[in-house]
Amino acid sequence: MRWASHRVMTFAMVFLMTRNIIASVISTLSSTLPDIIEGKGFLEDQNSVQYKRWRRRHRTWTHWFVPYATILLACLVVGADMRGNHVQIVAFMVSFLMVGALLHILQDAICGKVPLLKPSKKDFGVRLFTVGSIAETVVVLSGVCAGIAFYVFWK
């Protein structure tokens, strides 16, 4: 997905699930984290050696859910254990940063493959649309509209 699509979908999903604007904004900030960690290889000329190297590594280690899920779980445990403490606030913020990264991976899994059990192997997902296509825009807008309808009619 394009970065804008990740941001829109993540904000909508987190807000609809939590009704918390702060959690939604924090998650949106990290909704492109796995791509940011990979670097700017996508900016290279598509015929260059650097681009081809980046493309081979894209959606491998940085798109493996395990590190993000582990940090999220640790934050949930620490946050639950430290009520009324500044640590709880940090745990809240970091947990929603991890939620944003995990949603990025899930969203990438509907437009290609990401790692599931082995971080170097892209083996989970389906290509419902091509990144940057009109179909991507339709999927994102449909998802947001469905979420709004759910929010309005079934709250």
Side-chain angles (χ1 to χ4, degrees):
M1 286 185 139
R2 292 173 292 192
W3 282 18
S5 297
H6 280 297
R7 290 179 177 143
V8 168
M9 287 290 289
T10 297
F11 183 87
M13 292 171 77
V14 174
F15 185 76
L16 292 168
M17 292 170 69
T18 66
R19 309 288 203 263
N20 186 319
I21 193 78
I22 295 170
S24 304
V25 169
I26 292 170
S27 295
T28 301
L29 291 173
S30 65
S31 65
T32 54
L33 182 63
D35 287 344
I36 290 169
I37 293 170
E38 284 182 346
K40 298 181 180 177
F42 60 91
L43 294 175
E44 300 287 339
D45 174 31
Q46 291 188 0
N47 295 318
S48 71
V49 173
Q50 293 90 346
Y51 178 82
K52 290 175 183 172
R53 267 192 224 133
W54 172 83
R55 192 74 189 137
R56 264 193 314 273
R57 289 189 325 262
H58 182 57
R59 292 186 183 167
T60 56
W61 286 89
T62 61
H63 284 64
W64 190 39
F65 77 97
V66 172
Y68 305 106
T70 302
I71 295 168
L72 174 60
L73 183 61
C75 288
L76 294 174
V77 169
V78 168
D81 194 39
M82 300 288 207
R83 300 215 183 269
N85 192 324
H86 288 89
V87 174
Q88 187 180 24
I89 295 168
V90 172
F92 171 85
M93 292 171 58
V94 173
S95 67
F96 278 101
L97 287 171
M98 296 303 103
V99 166
L102 287 165
L103 287 173
H104 173 99
I105 295 166
L106 188 62
Q107 292 160 8
D108 272 0
I110 64 169
C111 60
K113 297 210 180 250
V114 296
L116 183 60
L117 300 176
K118 189 174 177 184
S120 59
K121 185 177 181 190
K122 303 176 204 177
D123 58 356
F124 176 76
V126 62
R127 183 176 296 237
L128 295 179
F129 54 84
T130 303
V131 174
S133 67
I134 292 174
E136 176 183 347
T137 304
V138 169
V139 167
V140 170
L141 291 177
S142 298
V144 170
C145 289
I148 292 169
F150 181 81
Y151 180 79
V152 169
F153 296 112
W154 290 284
K155 49 179 172 171

